[in-house]
Structure formats: C-alpha cells, structure tokens
Amino acid sequence: MLLVLGLAQGGNVGRGVEETAGTAAGAVWTALALAAAVGAQRAFALEQEAGALEQLTLYPGPHGALYLGKLLGLLGPLLLVAAFTLPAGLVLFGAAGAGRGCRGRPWF
C-alpha cells in the first residue's frame, strides 16, 4: 500500500519537509485503515462461514462484549502491522527527519 501511494505521489521533488511529512502521514494512516478493515472482515468471515457467529449471538450476555472481544483480538496483529508500517512510511516518503507535521502538530 505504501509503495503504491509513494509511486502515485511521484516522489518528493519540489516538496518541503512539512509537505513530505503530511504526505507520509496520510499514506501511513491509509495503510493502517485498510489493514484494520481487512482484518476485521477476515475475523468475522471465518466464523460466519462455519456458522459460529449465530451461535455466539445466542449466548446470554451483551452483544457488545462479543464485539469488544473481536476488537481486542484484532488489536494485537494491527499493532504489529503498525510497528512495520510506520518506519516503512517514514523511510519510503523521506520524512524520517521531518520531526513535526503540518502547522506544528505531530503527524502521527
């Protein structure tokens, strides 16, 4: 995802440090949002194919607890993806020395 966005942006020619940091931030957040959406879809698809999702909803207790458990189960792999995506985005977009993003706010 980061490589495709980096190629679409056309490199850092003619961009300042703040613009580069903003572009890197957008690419990293886009990659993480896509990873979270795909992970959530896969987490529910496996149980839906086996028919286990209907069985889980029949258990006594709040349905929000089921969702919270799925969310916590997805959080670990998503943090692992973020640990690789953040440095890769900084290096690929050349924003490693940017420090702060647009208008003085941190870009992450």
Side-chain angles (χ1 to χ4, degrees):
M1 179 77 177
L2 290 175
L3 185 61
V4 170
L5 289 173
L7 291 173
Q9 293 294 324
N12 296 331
V13 179
R15 289 192 191 145
V17 175
E18 290 183 1
E19 293 171 346
T20 302
T23 302
V28 167
W29 280 111
T30 302
L32 289 176
L34 180 65
V38 169
Q41 186 271 334
R42 286 186 179 182
F44 281 102
L46 290 174
E47 290 181 354
Q48 197 169 25
E49 287 176 6
L53 193 59
E54 290 82 14
Q55 296 296 321
L56 285 173
T57 57
L58 294 176
Y59 285 126
H63 294 288
L66 174 67
Y67 177 74
L68 183 63
K70 287 291 203 181
L71 178 67
L72 291 176
L74 182 65
L75 189 61
L78 185 60
L79 288 175
L80 186 64
V81 168
F84 289 109
T85 303
L86 187 62
L90 288 173
V91 170
L92 285 174
F93 285 90
R100 291 198 166 263
C102 299
R103 288 172 272 195
R105 294 181 301 190
W107 67 273
F108 53 88

